Amino acid sequence: MFTEKQTENLSKQLYQIHEALCAALHENDTEIWWSTPFYIGTDEYELRESYDLFNGNCGIILFFLALYQFDGNKAHLRVVNKGMQRIFNKDEVINTKFFALYTGLGGVIYTCLKIFEVTGDVFYREKALDLALTNRKQLTEDLLKADILSGYTGNLLLFTLLYHHTGHAGILSMVSSLVDRTITEARISGQGLKWDYSRAKKAYDSMTGFSHGASGIAWVLMQVGKYFDAAGIIYLAEEALRYEMQYYHQPDNNWLDLRLGPHRLNKPNAHEWNLHTFLPEMTDVNAWAHGAAGIGLTRRMAFEFTDKQNYQVDCKNILKRCLNDIRKLDRDDFTLVSGYTGMIPFLLTGKIGCGVSIEAEAIFILEQAAKLHKRTNSYNAYVSCGAEDYGLLSGKTGIGYIIIRLLTDNRQIDILNPELPVRCSNKNFRQAYSVYNIKKTIFSRYYKRTLGELKEVSPSVFEANNIDEFQINLKAEFLNKKSAGAKTQYELECAVANLWKLHKGYFSFEQKHKHLRKMADESLSITDKDLVEHCFQLSSHVKIYHPDQKEGNELLLLVSDENGVSETNIGVFPAMILSAVDERGMRGLELINQIQSVFFKDIATETLLAELQDKVLQQLRLLIKAGFVVLRRD
């Protein structure tokens, strides 16, 4: 793969990192550990101790384990064993508060399993099993996010690996529990399915990318689906990738980084949640965590699993983007998580007809990394702690880890794209998570009342690729059965489902409602005399639904908010106001006159007119306070 000279240079770079790690370690009679930087201010940090994979001791131990696989030096195993002893003794592990794969106890369990795989020491397998069973609830239920790095899908992959090595029924139950949770939390979108739309994520929509987004979730689902030969789980993975394609930005050959921090949220009209407001700053990031390089890992695997050409096309575009970024080399960051070195795993996934030497590109990246380190004693010039960060994903250890991966071509050295072993035959699992069963579960969630009216439907109704095709199938079913009740429910549930497709998650509505509350406070401070001169309109998160689409029937408000989409019945008087202002808007005086014409066909006294105007204004103020009506700013 490499010339003798290239191999010599890579080995030299590798052992320089090894020497630095040995110089930085702390040791007593039974334990070894390293200090980890923790930020306590913008650029100020202090050294503490961390056990996680991301930037703590488990990640460093995986490096020493990989180094043992590379050169067979048993001194590395001494470091591994004493390092793990330190971790097992730590109160932060015994009474841990963090449980994810890369950032918590999941990483300790994963490290135990990797040590068992390499050494055959059953102590580590049994320790992994004990930690998993002891912390079962926290590892499966308490993680708020779904992503692979800090969420429960990372643990889904972990438990599948643990089940492979132990065959323990309790672990298989934990796998099933997390698959069930993944199905339950799947939400429809403009296309595909998405996860992570709760308050735990601050983003424009459910995120793209490997570490915190759709590609990482899809990676796990594809691995688990293949392992158990469960086609329905692979279907979920492909739906995650289909969702992610909404945010592919063709001009930049990249997927948008949907994270929104204070800077982006301070843009004018940010509350309107228009993608173009944030777009200029969303196309730049390309690394393992966010952007094309990490996304490419999953799409390459999807192509291998399914042989679908669209994934092959994606990979070619990703390669172009990565090669272009490597040519520019305009960022001083070579860490695995956010830098150029994190691109190497994608480059190694296979020749994609690029006509370039992948080996040469990897060598170039590592040479430039060495130059930056020589100049700054860091592999990331954008952080103040780089010189003291020995973390696997965040610091120096990751560079050595990738060098071992290059020199050995060992796919087990795979922390950036962890793979499961060959598939396991489990008939019950395969049947429970068939494509049909998973589609039925997800599609039915949005059409419970329609299906309830129909009582029974043909199984072919659920043989749809997505929610849009299911809607068509369901409509044909109730038309065939001539069910008026099903038609009524279907039309309402279609309206609600369409709003679910547009919903951008908790954070989007949290920001919108902050703006709404501010505008409401300003509007409510206006006197009645001035208020009637303003134009009112329905708030953008509120839609009016008339059953059977006939005016005068009972009116429903379909309200999108932080928690989803809800239905609210509205009384006759507020319904008149909301129907009048609608989305087009209406001046206060015009609204009052319109309502007067309804209540008073004949001439009314000034007293009655004044009372009605007062009631209209009172109701308007209540609707403004509720956020249903806003003043239009022309």
Side-chain angles (χ1 to χ4, degrees):
M1 187 176 182
F2 296 106
T3 66
E4 185 176 340
K5 183 63 176 176
Q6 288 172 332
T7 301
E8 180 184 335
N9 290 338
L10 286 173
S11 297
K12 181 180 178 182
Q13 190 175 0
L14 167 63
Y15 285 105
Q16 285 174 344
I17 292 169
H18 169 253
E19 289 172 9
L21 283 167
C22 289
L25 65 78
H26 308 278
E27 185 172 9
N28 60 31
D29 290 343
T30 59
E31 302 170 330
I32 282 176
W33 69 97
W34 291 262
S35 297
T36 302
F38 280 78
Y39 278 98
I40 55 177
T42 304
D43 291 311
E44 186 181 1
Y45 66 91
E46 62 185 21
L47 295 177
R48 303 179 191 171
E49 193 174 341
S50 168
Y51 61 84
D52 65 35
L53 283 175
F54 187 86
N55 66 348
N57 287 319
C58 275
I60 298 172
I61 287 168
L62 283 185
F63 166 78
F64 277 91
L65 185 68
L67 192 57
Y68 167 72
Q69 291 176 272
F70 172 63
D71 64 15
N73 187 342
K74 291 188 177 180
H76 305 320
L77 288 184
R78 184 187 75 87
V79 176
V80 167
N81 290 323
K82 292 187 74 172
M84 291 306 293
Q85 189 60 49
R86 175 73 175 189
I87 290 169
F88 296 148
N89 290 340
K90 290 293 291 181
D91 183 66
E92 289 84 350
V93 174
I94 297 169
N95 299 297
T96 188
K97 297 178 181 178
F98 306 101
F99 299 92
L101 176 58
Y102 287 87
T103 58
L105 184 65
V108 178
I109 298 171
Y110 180 81
T111 305
C112 286
L113 291 175
K114 301 309 282 187
I115 297 170
F116 167 70
E117 288 178 352
V118 172
T119 67
D121 188 340
V122 296
F123 166 80
Y124 287 104
R125 183 189 66 190
E126 297 308 306
K127 186 67 175 179
L129 181 61
D130 177 63
L131 287 171
L133 294 175
T134 301
N135 297 277
R136 174 175 183 152
K137 179 180 181 296
Q138 296 92 330
L139 289 162
T140 56
E141 298 177 20
D142 290 1
L143 290 168
L144 297 178
K145 302 174 185 177
D147 67 60
I148 188 173
L149 189 136
S150 57
Y152 62 82
T153 58
N155 285 353
L156 172 57
L157 184 138
L158 168 67
F159 295 147
T160 306
L161 181 62
L162 182 56
Y163 173 71
H164 174 80
H165 287 304
T166 65
H168 195 284
I171 300 301
L172 182 61
S173 175
M174 292 165 75
V175 171
S176 294
S177 174
L178 285 180
V179 174
D180 290 341
R181 182 177 175 185
T182 306
I183 296 167
T184 298
E185 294 185 10
R187 179 181 285 183
I188 58 174
S189 180
Q191 64 182 49
L193 297 170
K194 65 182 182 182
W195 289 263
D196 270 347
Y197 37 75
S198 71
R199 69 175 67 213
K201 289 288 178 74
K202 291 179 170 55
Y204 174 81
D205 198 353
S206 295
M207 288 170 61
T208 65
F210 198 93
S211 66
H212 291 91
S215 277
I217 293 170
W219 174 273
V220 172
L221 293 172
M222 282 211 173
Q223 289 281 331
V224 174
K226 183 183 179 185
Y227 179 82
F228 287 108
D229 194 24
I233 301 177
I234 294 178
Y235 165 77
L236 287 176
E238 290 204 79
E239 285 298 288
L241 295 180
R242 210 162 71 86
Y243 162 78
E244 192 173 53
M245 282 305 295
Q246 292 179 102
Y247 295 109
Y248 174 67
H249 194 247
Q250 189 171 8
D252 291 282
N253 262 348
N254 203 6
W255 281 259
L256 300 182
D257 175 10
L258 299 177
R259 292 174 294 174
L260 293 178
H263 171 68
R264 292 179 181 178
L265 291 173
N266 284 330
K267 288 179 174 290
N269 300 320
H271 65 277
E272 294 178 359
W273 225 247
N274 187 324
L275 184 61
H276 290 284
T277 301
F278 311 109
L279 187 62
E281 296 173 327
M282 286 182 164
T283 62
D284 296 337
V285 178
N286 179 23
W288 171 79
H290 304 279
I295 288 169
L297 293 171
T298 303
R299 291 181 183 270
R300 180 65 183 175
M301 181 180 63
F303 175 65
E304 292 174 357
F305 283 12
T306 68
D307 203 33
K308 293 180 180 178
Q309 291 303 306
N310 59 300
Y311 298 127
Q312 176 80 322
V313 171
D314 293 340
C315 288
K316 289 180 178 179
N317 289 331
I318 290 166
L319 184 61
K320 290 176 185 176
R321 171 67 195 230
C322 289
L323 293 175
N324 183 60
D325 286 348
I326 294 168
R327 299 284 183 275
K328 289 193 299 184
L329 209 74
D330 56 0
R331 299 186 71 250
D332 285 337
D333 183 356
F334 291 88
T335 60
L336 294 191
V337 65
S338 57
Y340 293 103
T341 309
M343 294 182 184
I344 292 176
F346 171 72
L347 298 179
L348 293 175
T349 57
K351 304 293 189 297
I352 317 172
C354 57
V356 299
S357 168
I358 297 303
E359 292 83 356
E361 300 300 328
I363 289 286
F364 176 73
I365 290 171
L366 291 167
E367 286 176 346
Q368 299 307 309
K371 289 179 181 178
L372 177 66
H373 188 267
K374 185 176 181 179
R375 195 169 72 246
T376 66
N377 195 29
S378 170
Y379 289 106
N380 185 353
Y382 299 102
V383 295
S384 58
C385 69
E388 296 187 271
D389 190 343
Y390 293 93
L392 181 59
L393 271 71
S394 61
K396 300 182 181 185
T397 299
I399 311 303
Y401 186 87
I402 283 296
I403 292 173
I404 298 171
R405 172 72 174 85
L406 286 168
L407 291 175
T408 61
D409 196 26
N410 184 349
R411 292 186 67 163
Q412 286 186 317
I413 301 172
D414 61 356
I415 193 61
L416 294 189
N417 51 331
E419 296 187 19
L420 291 171
V422 294
R423 71 176 55 176
C424 157
S425 178
N426 189 308
K427 183 179 179 182
N428 292 336
F429 207 92
R430 184 168 62 250
Q431 290 177 342
Y433 300 115
S434 67
V435 175
Y436 178 86
N437 285 341
I438 286 180
K439 286 180 178 179
K440 183 177 181 180
T441 300
I442 294 173
F443 298 160
S444 298
R445 189 181 306 152
Y446 296 93
Y447 288 89
K448 290 179 181 178
R449 287 172 286 191
T450 306
L451 292 167
E453 285 285 342
L454 291 170
K455 294 183 173 59
E456 290 185 9
V457 296
S458 167
S460 63
V461 169
F462 297 101
E463 293 173 357
N465 290 318
N466 50 59
I467 193 72
D468 297 320
E469 291 184 13
F470 174 73
Q471 287 175 341
I472 295 169
N473 292 351
L474 190 59
K475 183 176 182 179
E477 186 80 2
F478 74 69
L479 289 175
N480 183 53
K481 292 188 175 183
K482 298 181 173 60
S483 172
K487 178 178 182 295
T488 299
Q489 297 298 343
Y490 173 84
E491 289 173 350
L492 172 57
E493 289 183 312
C494 270
V496 174
N498 288 336
L499 291 177
W500 276 113
K501 293 176 191 176
L502 298 172
H503 200 286
K504 296 294 187 287
Y506 183 96
F507 189 60
S508 67
F509 285 97
E510 182 182 59
Q511 299 305 307
K512 288 179 181 181
H513 288 162
K514 281 182 183 177
H515 177 77
L516 273 177
R517 286 191 292 271
K518 179 183 176 184
M519 299 301 293
D521 289 344
E522 293 176 3
S523 301
L524 293 172
S525 68
I526 299 173
T527 64
D528 286 352
K529 181 180 178 181
D530 291 332
L531 196 62
V532 295
E533 298 296 332
H534 284 80
C535 188
F536 301 90
Q537 68 183 48
L538 207 61
S539 183
S540 62
H541 72 289
V542 177
K543 303 296 178 186
I544 294 174
Y545 181 80
H546 294 280
D548 297 326
Q549 301 301 309
K550 293 178 182 177
E551 298 291 339
N553 285 355
E554 182 184 1
L555 184 145
L556 279 178
L557 281 190
L558 305 182
V559 182
S560 301
D561 61 20
E562 289 90 339
N563 299 311
V565 182
S566 60
E567 301 166 25
T568 302
N569 287 295
I570 296 295
V572 174
F573 192 55
M576 291 176 65
I577 294 175
L578 291 170
S579 296
V581 300
D582 206 346
E583 297 173 13
R584 294 160 294 180
M586 181 178 286
R587 282 183 68 238
L589 284 174
E590 185 182 352
L591 171 65
I592 291 167
N593 290 335
Q594 181 172 312
I595 293 176
Q596 283 176 353
S597 68
V598 174
F599 278 93
F600 304 115
K601 303 293 183 183
D602 301 319
I603 297 174
T605 65
E606 288 188 12
T607 302
L608 288 174
L609 291 175
E611 288 178 357
L612 180 62
Q613 177 170 319
D614 186 53
K615 287 182 179 179
V616 171
L617 288 170
Q618 286 181 30
Q619 188 64 61
L620 270 173
R621 288 183 180 277
L622 289 173
L623 292 170
I624 291 170
K625 187 175 182 180
F628 293 165
V629 169
V630 295
L631 269 64
R632 193 169 73 189
R633 308 286 175 171
D634 293 324

